[in-house]
Amino acid sequence: MEGGSWPQTTGIGHTRWATHGEPSDLNAHPHTSTDGKIAVVHNGIIENYIPLKEKLIAQGHRFVSDTDTEVIAHLVSSNYKGDILEAVKETVKELQGSYSVAVLCQDEPDKLIAIRKNSPLIIGLGEGENFIASDIPAILKHTRTIYLLDNDEVAVLTKDDVKVYDELGKEVEKQSLKIDWDPGDAEKGGYDHFMLKEIHEQPRAIQDTLTGRITEDGEIKLDDIKLDKETLDNFDHIQIVACGTAYNAGMLGKQYIEKYARIPVEMEAASEYRYKNPIVSDKTLLIVLSQSGETADTLAAIDIAKKQGARVLAITNVVGSSIAREADDILYTNAGPEIAVASTKAYVTQVACMLLIALYMGELKGNVTKEEADEVLAALKESSDLIQRALDDADKIKDFAYEHFKNEDMYLIGRGEDYVTAMEGSLKIKEISYVHSESFPAGELKHGPIALIEDGTVVLAVATQENTFEKLLSNIKEVKARGAHVLAITSDDHPEIMTEVDQAFLIPKTNQVVAPIPAVVYLQLFAYYLAVARGCDVDKPKNLAKSVTVE
Ligand code: F6R
């Protein structure tokens, strides 16, 4: 700092996800009160900020930004009577919406006040230093001991102390949590991007997902799930709800559960589910998937379903996240921190979890024989090696991506499980390379999409499922005949595909339900290299955030 030393050792900052007003310096956090004495950063949305702002302006407060957040700074200031904790507590009474907020006050410079409602906030406990953050990786370099702040709690941090109070102002004894993630997990470790690193971490991530969950004699042990046969028999249907990539993993989950447990499953995007008045009762099992465990739409879906009597089973990656805390049963993916916005290792581990749950239910229901389960579990254990084989093909995938990076449209086709892999590949391509891509069930081509195929169109075909291979081969021939450049992913039972397409990858023989795990890795790598070739910011794609904690 120019002009001498800077004595302050307490600070706040926030990478803003624009919800109100354009991304600009004026709208950037922290926001301050008119006299500059109160500074705040905020994650979430203050729903009633307009009436609050009008009231504050009438009282003489001057606003400089378009944000909802700024009302918090002014409100705290108007409630401040010499005790910042009391001022924040008063302020909370007037706020509606979701928020995690950090507040600094110039008159009490050693204190940092944190509040939380339906938006993630953790407290990191250090030696002579303490931290708050919205996500664990942010503080991993400094400490692995954390408190999870609950809704409506208020924390007061100084460098040597953390005190937490409940809604009624009573001090709360928080239990600290030890995070066993390696601090190195939150660094790139020699890779150009977190996404590439996380793609390469998938063999280990899958092993970590399975560790301790399959006994020596092949029994599935899901300790965090307390579903017994009687409870399972009580459900007449299952609903799976998630967003984005987690939705795609849920789509595979639906297929697995229907195949093995023979329970009807409805799949719904959380953003749709929450507004459609879903049919839910105490005979509903709601399964939610969420890497972050903080996705606002998914949390809202849980709330709706719980109020109508559903039991909630969550598959998530983040211990102690809001979704984990709301759920009745939890299965952690154990993928380690995922930093890149584009989800990769979370997806394959979610798929592995869904397969474990489906087999577990199938066995409880008596629909799956021990031999059948053993075969799938053995294949699941070997899926790490299959992913590694896909990673070993990275250069060939890169070449195909670099040859076609100027194409502005790409199409992905598959049937059954392969269609879901195509959906996930298409999402990856869109979000990081900004190429327009669409996925179709291959059998639907003739009902319209084939009209889009012309000379040079890129088609990525996923054909790992034995029962539909021949059908998919016909679809490949149809698009080739119209000039498409085709990359195919199939099993090594079908080397004949090599002469039909421009590039083919053959997955070593595995159980068909496991094939989507290695298959998606080829598409992740393709999307990655496409984005690199196009000069995109791979880890931070435009308009996207890692945790979507707002609607
Ligand atoms: C895609 C991606 C998003 C997330 C979605 C749900 O690569 O990352 O589509 O999958 O926002 O996030 P979680 O899983 O945290 O609920």
Side-chain angles (χ1 to χ4, degrees), residues 447-515:
H447 297 293
I450 200 158
L452 295 164
I453 309 295
E454 54 189 37
D455 213 16
T457 304
V458 169
V459 173
L460 309 176
V462 192
T464 69
Q465 303 298 303
E466 200 47 50
N467 59 336
T468 51
F469 176 80
E470 290 303 330
K471 300 276 172 215
L472 217 87
L473 191 57
S474 303
N475 298 130
I476 289 173
K477 288 179 182 169
E478 283 160 13
V479 296
K480 273 304 290 176
R482 287 158 179 82
H485 289 191
V486 179
L487 178 151
I489 301 157
T490 186
S491 83
D492 63 4
D493 275 353
H494 295 292
E496 70 271 24
I497 207 167
M498 304 285 241
T499 55
E500 303 292 344
V501 300
D502 301 270
Q503 180 61 277
F505 295 98
L506 307 183
I507 297 173
K509 198 166 176 50
T510 183
N511 192 295
Q512 290 196 27
V513 288
V514 172

Side-chain angles (χ1 to χ4, degrees), residues 401-419:
Y402 275 47
E403 267 166 48
H404 296 97
F405 77 96
K406 290 199 174 133
N407 287 45
E408 289 301 335
D409 307 284
M410 297 191 183
Y411 302 107
L412 294 92
I413 53 173
R415 289 170 184 250
E417 283 88 341
D418 287 335
Y419 169 51

Side-chain angles (χ1 to χ4, degrees), residues 51-65:
L52 288 175
K53 188 168 175 173
E54 283 166 358
K55 185 182 91 177
L56 288 157
I57 289 173
Q59 288 170 1
H61 294 263
R62 279 195 319 277
F63 281 73
V64 295
S65 80

Side-chain angles (χ1 to χ4, degrees), residues 195 242-248 289-296 298 315-318 323 338 340-344 346 350 424 427-428 431-432 544-548:
M195 182 180 176
C243 304
T245 284
Y247 174 92
N248 294 338
L289 298 102
S290 173
Q291 186 286 129
S292 62
E294 301 295 347
T295 301
T298 312
I315 298 172
T316 181
N317 195 33
V318 180
I323 287 177
E338 193 178 64
V341 166
S343 186
T344 53
Q350 283 165 353
E424 175 55 11
L427 180 58
K428 288 286 94 80
E431 62 178 330
I432 59 167
L544 294 174
K546 185 64 186 159
S547 295
V548 187

Side-chain angles (χ1 to χ4, degrees), residues 4 51 149 201 422:
L149 203 64
E201 282 172 352

